[in-house]
Amino acid sequence: MTDEHDSTPRPEDDAARLGLVVVGEAAALHSGDDAALDASEQNIRDTIDELVDEPLTERQEEVVERLAAAGGTLTAGLSGALAAQTGRSVDDLLEGAARSVVWQQRLAQERDERAERGEAEDAFDPRDDHRGEREDAGGQQRDRRNHDGHDEA
């Protein structure tokens, strides 16, 4: 996830890593497994420690950890609600969210690579992920509604 010319991760890489930590927290919350929750909380702490350039104060670290946990809580709640509404499993939705995070990071990397090669910005099509189908958290790339606007079975 880093530029081959620089060992410093790009901000998009760090953001993707944090996004995956949040999705991991949501998955741990949905699992109801105390060990998974403990591991997720440790993952939050470890990730923050690795991403900061200078040690955070105890308060700053606590605030950042709580922000990541709150993001996981929101993600868990929204994925649960979406699962109930669409009949999909929470696991499938969280997997889609993780794919979406990785997809966004990949798009940013491709954009940077094109810029390094001097290609025009308009040459980049953000809908092209090398498979012809955009991945996102809810599968919105595939229209599952019939002509009346109702969900198809």
Side-chain angles (χ1 to χ4, degrees):
M1 279 199 242
T2 60
D3 184 348
E4 64 188 32
H5 305 294
D6 187 1
S7 63
T8 304
R10 297 171 315 118
E12 294 88 348
D13 298 331
D14 291 343
R17 187 167 175 202
L18 287 169
L20 292 173
V21 165
V22 168
V23 172
E25 176 74 358
L29 287 166
H30 270 287
S31 77
D33 180 3
D34 287 339
L37 285 169
D38 291 343
S40 178
E41 290 172 8
Q42 185 60 48
N43 189 34
I44 290 170
R45 284 189 289 280
D46 292 345
T47 301
I48 292 165
D49 287 344
E50 293 172 15
L51 292 179
V52 296
D53 294 331
E54 297 179 19
L56 298 175
T57 66
E58 191 174 312
R59 175 150 169 70
Q60 289 171 327
E61 190 169 331
E62 184 177 324
V63 167
V64 173
E65 288 173 9
R66 288 181 187 232
L67 282 170
T73 300
L74 288 170
T75 302
L78 292 171
S79 61
L82 185 58
Q85 185 177 23
T86 62
R88 294 175 141 170
S89 77
V90 172
D91 290 340
D92 286 347
L93 293 170
L94 291 174
E95 181 181 328
R99 279 194 317 266
S100 182
V101 168
V102 172
W103 180 79
Q104 289 295 329
Q105 185 276 334
R106 186 181 331 138
L107 287 178
Q109 184 176 2
E110 288 175 2
R111 182 191 65 233
D112 290 350
E113 289 170 358
R114 283 186 169 94
E116 284 179 14
R117 292 191 305 263
E119 293 179 13
E121 184 69 29
D122 61 351
F124 178 68
D125 182 355
R127 294 168 291 179
D128 182 14
D129 76 349
H130 305 293
R131 292 176 297 175
E133 185 174 293
R134 179 179 167 178
E135 293 286 343
D136 60 28
Q140 292 88 358
Q141 76 279 5
R142 295 176 298 275
D143 187 8
R144 292 195 170 108
R145 296 184 181 263
N146 61 24
H147 66 279
D148 295 329
H150 296 92
D151 288 337
E152 292 182 350

